[in-house]
Amino acid sequence: MPELPEVEVVRAGLEPAVTAATVSSVQVYDERSLRRHPGPSEDFIDRLTGRRMLAPQRRGKFLWIPLSPIQPDNTPEALVVHLGMSGQVLLRDRVTDDLRTRIRIELLHPEHGPLRLNFVDQRIFGSMAIDTLVQTPDHPLQLVPTAVAHIARDPLDERFDDAAFFARLAKKSTTIKRALLDQTLISGIGNIYADEALWAAKVHYEQPTASLTRPRAKLLLAEVRAVLTKALAEGGTSFDAQYLNVNGQSGYFAHSLNAYGQQGEPCPRCGRPIVRESFMNRGSHFCPYCQRVR
DNA sequence: CCGGACTCCTGGTTGC
DNA sequence: TGCAACCAGGAGTCCG
């Protein structure tokens, strides 16, 4: 279940390997991984083959690799990757295969030579697509894929507007976990880090956003950043020097979780049992004593 | 605007 | 032991 830290680990791992590399060939083994590509797989292959890749970018859980334009006046395009629930982008040498590879992209890098990207995805909730890049409304020089245009900046983005976020929270009539998972409000947070940040800030997942005091909202945002930053630091430590095993799941369960999946276990703060409740078709894990609606 | 239901999907786990 | 039912959830869509 890759969230912001896992996706950033993938982005950072891909950066030195794909930047300035040229796509020599593309194989699509499962068309379902192109669900979000506007066209048949032949179109995906045609538009990607021969293109040169630029530095990978990320917003929230979306990752994209801008492609060098064929003509200077062409509409800028990018290869957009979403890992969904189980997606991985594995950076390999030219002969390594991986089980459940849905799409393979062969690259030639001017310094590193031939490389291969295996897009592996067990559950096929993830996808690859070629998309056009458009301006972001709040920054004329920054481009994002059209599929990402509605996604809010993430809390580790230096242009994330804390005050605007608090103002939108106060105006909404919804509950806080729903808001944290709303990628148009704040991006990059999934079920695991939502539960972890709420636990750390002692906020109940059904706390109405409008009644969350400003100090508590500030604390919650700080805990969101702390949880994401800590996970990022732990996930970013397992790089292999020669061939980076860029793995969306790496380090995921290595870090200690205080609430997520801990139902029945003692709350690390008060010792009372963590409870799991069903919410939004997923589990919400929390301490009923530490985290109360108020 | 809001929330609930539904869709996509497969492999590990649970239950009979 | 074997097999079916269940469960996990990110994101989009549709509907009331």
Side-chain angles (χ1 to χ4, degrees):
Chain A
M1 293 153 270
E3 301 180 28
L4 186 157
E6 292 75 27
V7 180
E8 174 57 21
V9 167
V10 174
R11 190 208 64 77
L14 287 177
E15 185 169 326
V18 308
T19 305
T22 300
V23 177
S24 34
S25 70
V26 179
Q27 286 86 39
V28 177
Y29 300 108
D30 197 322
E31 300 221 359
R32 294 175 297 178
S33 291
L34 291 178
R35 188 174 293 121
R36 309 177 109 202
H37 179 76
S41 57
E42 294 74 25
D43 178 74
F44 176 80
I45 295 166
D46 288 348
R47 285 165 74 183
L48 197 50
T49 306
R51 303 291 290 278
R52 194 165 64 90
M53 291 181 162
L54 306 175
Q57 310 290 310
R58 184 190 54 75
R59 174 173 292 193
K61 305 171 198 171
F62 281 86
L63 171 69
W64 67 94
I65 304 174
L67 301 170
S68 181
I70 303 165
Q71 303 284 337
D73 57 346
N74 281 158
T75 307
E77 292 182 322
L79 170 64
V80 183
V81 185
H82 197 289
L83 301 177
M85 293 294 298
S86 55
Q88 297 167 265
V89 181
L90 302 175
L91 180 58
R92 302 301 198 197
D93 60 39
R94 67 164 103 185
V95 294
T96 299
D97 292 325
D98 289 292
L99 203 62
R100 289 188 277 277
T101 296
R102 312 298 184 189
I103 297 171
R104 170 172 296 154
I105 300 172
E106 306 276 6
L107 300 174
L108 185 61
H109 192 276
E111 292 163 40
H112 310 311
L115 298 168
R116 131 187 310 190
L117 298 183
N118 287 335
F119 180 67
V120 174
D121 191 7
Q122 181 204 120
R123 288 156 75 178
I124 323 188
F125 274 31
S127 63
M128 282 189 159
I130 307 295
D131 197 5
T132 59
L133 294 169
V134 293
Q135 282 186 357
T136 45
D138 58 346
H139 193 290
L141 294 179
Q142 204 168 25
L143 301 179
V144 296
T146 59
V148 183
H150 66 293
I151 302 293
R153 289 183 184 275
D154 62 63
L156 301 189
D157 185 329
E158 60 179 19
R159 291 183 185 277
F160 184 88
D161 188 336
D162 289 21
F165 173 66
F166 296 139
R168 287 183 70 188
L169 270 191
K171 269 192 254 175
K172 275 195 152 324
S173 65
T174 190
T175 49
I176 188 61
K177 184 169 176 183
R178 198 177 284 281
L180 289 180
L181 295 175
D182 180 350
Q183 305 295 303
T184 69
L185 201 58
I186 182 170
S187 69
I189 306 167
N191 201 42
I192 296 177
Y193 297 129
D195 282 0
E196 290 300 304
L198 288 167
W199 179 87
K202 301 188 196 179
V203 176
H204 190 281
Y205 68 95
E206 285 192 299
Q207 174 80 42
T209 57
S211 65
L212 193 64
T213 64
R214 188 57 59 98
R216 296 188 78 211
K218 284 188 174 180
L219 173 65
L220 178 58
L221 181 55
E223 295 294 356
V224 163
R225 288 192 169 115
V227 161
L228 296 178
T229 303
K230 181 166 174 279
L232 186 52
E234 293 175 17
T237 57
S238 58
F239 281 169
D240 183 74
Q242 194 177 11
Y243 278 102
L244 308 174
N245 187 3
V246 182
N247 183 339
Q249 310 255 351
S250 72
Y252 213 119
F253 297 105
H255 34 93
S256 54
L257 297 169
N258 292 307
Y260 181 85
Q262 305 303 304
Q263 58 270 28
E265 297 296 316
C267 167
R269 194 164 39 217
C270 76
R272 294 170 177 85
I274 296 288
V275 167
R276 180 188 186 276
E277 286 179 5
S278 193
F279 174 73
M280 285 177 78
N281 254 338
R282 43 173 74 77
S284 266
H285 314 75
F286 69 108
C287 172
Y289 180 78
C290 296
Q291 297 167 260
R292 281 175 284 185
V293 178
R294 49 192 154 115

